[in-house]
Amino acid sequence: MAIFVSGLALFMCVLIADSLAKVRQSLLLKQTHNDLKWIVAALHDYYKAHGSFPPVVVRDENGSPIHSWRSIIQDHFKNIVETDDRFNAYDLTQPWNSPVNVESGSQHRFGSHPYRILAVVGPHAAWNPVEERSISDFADGAHETLLLIAVRNSDCAWHEPVDAVVTDSGTLELKNEQLDLSSDVFLVMADGSVRYAANGLPAETLATLLTIDAGDTVNDW
């Protein structure tokens, strides 16, 4: 009898643990969706103020990247959602990897988020590597242009000026390594819509989302 009770207790513990894991995952997905909506809202707030999206990086006089677009839009979060001093501690007079800015990036929730939020960069992508983009540049339509992608476990700090780069073969690379999009991924389109691909993103679908002016159409997915 004792063995039966112990086995039943173990079974119940497994069920409870599985249920809690599903609840945590559901909450994470909901929070990530909301965070991405705030980020795209801050981007569009920047757009209203400047007439374009921000540069993907800001460089110093020697051409070295010192600020990411993620850092540039932080002031615009204050117009979207209440932020605290940890979030607002970033110092634009210092490079992203200065001690104060590294600490700033590690303190707020975006800095420790399990998903890394990356711009999609390329000559024909939503983010041009050398100039700012306007909505009018998106000839294929803002709703069919991939602005941001959020992936798990990528090696990229919040303030670090690196992003997902479109390759000649129509894939995405981060720090010269191909991104694995076979598992779950969040997509933010240029019109502000957020989509979640629980089973990853097919290569043929990705290819049509990466370009602003290829004249292609995204099939249902």
Side-chain angles (χ1 to χ4, degrees):
M1 183 66 175
I3 295 176
F4 173 76
V5 172
S6 297
L8 180 61
L10 179 61
F11 177 70
M12 293 301 296
C13 287
V14 170
L15 284 180
I16 291 171
D18 184 59
S19 296
L20 289 175
K22 289 178 179 178
V23 169
R24 286 194 294 268
Q25 175 66 4
S26 178
L27 290 174
L28 173 62
L29 294 181
K30 183 176 181 180
Q31 177 188 325
T32 303
H33 184 275
N34 290 338
D35 287 345
L36 290 170
K37 293 295 287 187
W38 287 336
I39 289 170
V40 78
L43 279 169
H44 280 271
D45 191 70
Y46 180 100
Y47 192 100
K48 287 192 296 183
H50 299 276
S52 68
F53 289 116
V56 69
V57 296
V58 172
R59 300 180 183 275
D60 65 15
E61 62 275 9
N62 298 316
S64 299
I66 55 172
H67 299 301
S68 162
W69 65 270
R70 289 176 288 270
S71 307
I72 298 170
I73 67 168
Q74 287 206 173
D75 279 347
H76 294 268
F77 274 102
K78 291 181 285 188
N79 298 332
I80 309 302
V81 64
E82 184 176 349
T83 57
D84 59 29
D85 291 339
R86 293 174 301 172
F87 192 85
N88 300 321
Y90 190 84
D91 185 356
L92 286 169
T93 68
Q94 302 184 44
W96 75 273
N97 53 357
S98 67
V100 64
N101 285 339
V102 169
E103 183 175 1
S104 165
S106 66
Q107 291 297 314
H108 60 71
R109 73 168 180 270
F110 288 131
S112 58
H113 205 285
Y115 288 89
R116 287 295 183 257
I117 300 156
L118 307 170
V120 177
V121 185
H124 295 278
W127 300 74
N128 187 290
V130 295
E131 61 184 21
E132 293 84 0
R133 289 283 197 216
S134 299
I135 291 292
S136 59
D137 294 326
F138 302 147
D140 290 344
H143 64 292
E144 294 193 357
T145 301
L146 185 58
L147 187 68
L148 307 173
I149 190 165
V151 297
R152 285 185 184 267
N153 304 319
S154 66
D155 180 21
C156 175
W158 170 254
H159 289 303
E160 188 175 0
V162 295
D163 285 281
V165 177
V166 180
T167 69
D168 292 339
S169 59
T171 60
L172 289 174
E173 287 186 350
L174 177 65
K175 298 183 179 180
N176 297 317
E177 292 188 5
Q178 185 169 325
L179 283 177
D180 180 9
L181 304 181
S182 61
S183 59
D184 70 318
V185 59
F186 280 91
L187 308 171
V188 180
M189 311 310 290
D191 66 350
S193 59
V194 177
R195 302 186 68 172
Y196 176 63
N199 299 314
L201 193 61
E204 59 273 15
T205 301
L206 173 66
T208 60
L209 297 175
L210 292 179
T211 54
I212 63 172
D213 54 4
D216 47 19
T217 301
V218 180
N219 297 324
D220 291 338
W221 52 281

